[in-house]
């Protein structure tokens, strides 16, 4: 079991109804993405991070590691927004920094910094909302809610099987890598390339083999078209709904107070 899945099953918010957690996370996510306001994004990130660390008791170090994962993609996007190019004859107002490269000019403006900062805060708030749902709610509980919402059964089964095979894929890759590494398979560049090729080819063969075994196991248990589920019992809480409503109303009020419009 991966650590992120382990925390989803063993955290202090696991008993809360998944509908309450999904409503809370998805509303904040959609609101932050819709208004794209820096203050709203900061509040959303702070609130969801507080629930993750203080409410669900997820270790802060692990949560920071999770936030760093999309950092590479965020930085690559930020640089393309932050740095602009133009010919040396082009007039660029509000320039904070510039340098000439032959007939071209590289520059950064106040507007670029403002857009880049806003993008960072919106992305962080969106990621924190998704991490809140991922770290506090098992995937079975999320699928249970999707079934209640009458999402097509085929889509739910595809999601569940895909989720399961992500773990199979990672587990197989780790075992193959450890076996190769114990035999010094990554000591030199030539060995590294050879071992990587063997890892990729073996990985796909093993995953297809596991997929075939899964199909045989499902057929032997009478699988026809639908997978049967046993739903967990959750209870709605009036206190939780009051807290969710208060937080959502407060964020919307702050947004309107600082000049936002709906």
């Amino acid at each position: 079991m991966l650590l992120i899945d382990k925390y989803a099953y063993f955290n202090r918010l696991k008993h809360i109804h998944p509908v309450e957690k999904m409503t809370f996370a998805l509303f904040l996510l959609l609101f932050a993405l819709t208004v794209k306001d820096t203050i709203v994004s900061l509040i959303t990130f702070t609130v969801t991070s507080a629930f993750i660390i203080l409410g669900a008791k997820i270790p802060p170090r692990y949560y920071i590691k999770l936030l760093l994962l999309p950092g590479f993609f965020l930085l690559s996007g930020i640089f393309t927004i932050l740095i602009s190019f133009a010919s040396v004859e082009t007039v660029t107002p509000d320039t904070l920094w510039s340098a000439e490269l032959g007939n071209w000019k590289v520059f950064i403006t106040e507007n670029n910094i403002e857009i880049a900062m806003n993008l960072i805060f919106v992305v962080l708030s969106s990621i924190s909302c998704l991490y809140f749902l991922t770290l506090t709610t098992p995937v079975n509980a999320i699928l249970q809610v999707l079934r209640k919402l009458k999402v097509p059964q085929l889509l739910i089964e595809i999601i569940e099987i895909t989720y399961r095979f992500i773990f199979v894929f990672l587990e197989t890759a780790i075992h193959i890598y450890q076996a190769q590494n114990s035999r010094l398979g990554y000591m030199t560049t030539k060995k590294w390339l050879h071992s990587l090729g063997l890892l990729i080819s073996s990985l796909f063969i093993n995953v297809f083999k596991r997929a075939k075994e899964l199909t045989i196991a499902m057929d032997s248990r009478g699988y026809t078209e639908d997978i049967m589920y046993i739903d967990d019992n959750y209870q709605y809480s009036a206190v939780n709904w009051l807290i969710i409503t208060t937080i959502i109303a407060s964020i919307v009020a702050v947004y309107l107070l600082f000049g936002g419009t709906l």
Side-chain angles (χ1 to χ4, degrees):
M1 177 182 285
L2 291 179
L3 201 53
I4 193 170
D5 205 40
K6 179 181 176 183
Y7 284 130
Y9 281 94
F10 302 100
N11 67 84
R12 291 188 62 183
L13 301 180
K14 64 179 180 180
H15 298 298
I16 295 178
H17 201 294
V19 171
E20 297 171 354
K21 289 184 282 191
M22 290 177 70
T23 303
F24 177 70
L26 294 180
F27 180 86
L28 293 183
L29 171 65
L30 294 176
F31 190 66
L33 289 176
T34 303
V35 300
K36 293 184 175 63
D37 185 82
T38 303
I39 297 175
V40 170
S41 299
L42 272 173
I43 296 174
T44 301
F45 176 74
T46 305
V47 170
T48 50
S49 298
F51 274 109
I52 291 171
I53 296 173
L54 303 177
K57 293 296 181 185
I58 304 298
R61 180 179 294 183
Y62 182 71
Y63 178 55
I64 292 173
K65 283 183 180 178
L66 289 178
L67 289 176
L68 291 176
L69 284 177
F72 173 77
F73 301 100
L74 180 59
L75 284 177
S76 60
I78 290 300
F79 277 118
T80 58
I81 294 173
L82 199 61
I83 299 174
S84 300
F85 295 88
S87 65
V88 291
E89 299 169 351
T90 304
V91 178
T92 53
D94 302 327
T95 302
L96 296 178
W97 173 85
S98 65
E100 294 185 2
L101 299 173
N103 294 327
W104 292 90
K105 179 170 63 175
V106 184
F107 61 95
I108 298 175
T109 65
E110 291 182 6
N111 188 46
N112 289 353
I113 292 180
E114 185 178 342
I115 294 173
M117 294 299 293
N118 185 264
L119 177 64
I120 290 174
F121 290 129
V122 171
V123 170
L124 284 178
S125 64
S126 304
I127 291 172
S128 66
C129 291
L130 293 177
Y131 278 158
F132 168 78
L133 190 61
T134 306
L135 291 168
T136 62
T137 312
V139 68
N140 290 336
I142 296 175
L143 295 178
Q144 181 178 333
V145 175
L146 295 181
R147 287 194 294 273
K148 299 288 185 185
L149 294 174
K150 304 299 181 185
V151 174
Q153 184 69 19
L154 178 61
L155 179 60
I156 294 175
E157 291 181 4
I158 290 174
I159 293 173
E160 185 173 20
I161 293 174
T162 303
Y163 182 80
R164 168 61 184 159
F165 268 90
I166 288 174
F167 290 88
V168 173
F169 196 84
L170 291 175
E171 184 184 14
T172 307
I174 291 171
H175 287 165
I176 295 173
Y177 174 79
Q178 289 174 341
Q180 290 177 324
N181 202 30
S182 65
R183 293 173 174 80
L184 306 180
Y186 293 93
M187 286 294 291
T188 63
T189 305
K190 185 177 180 181
K191 285 185 176 180
W192 186 87
L193 287 173
H194 180 69
S195 299
L196 183 64
L198 289 176
L199 187 148
I200 294 173
S201 58
S202 302
L203 186 60
F204 280 101
I205 291 172
N206 278 280
V207 170
F208 281 124
K209 183 180 176 185
R210 294 285 295 273
K212 188 175 181 180
E213 291 173 352
L214 176 64
T215 304
I216 294 172
M218 292 173 69
D219 290 340
S220 65
R221 287 166 173 79
Y223 172 74
T224 53
E225 293 182 352
D226 297 329
I227 299 176
M228 303 301 293
Y229 299 92
I230 299 177
D231 292 342
D232 297 323
N233 292 320
Y234 294 98
Q235 297 295 326
Y236 288 107
S237 168
V239 175
N240 291 339
W241 282 114
L242 180 63
I243 294 172
I244 293 169
T245 306
T246 303
I247 292 174
I248 290 174
S250 301
I251 293 176
V252 173
V254 169
Y255 172 66
L256 296 175
L257 189 65
F258 283 89
T261 55
L262 295 177

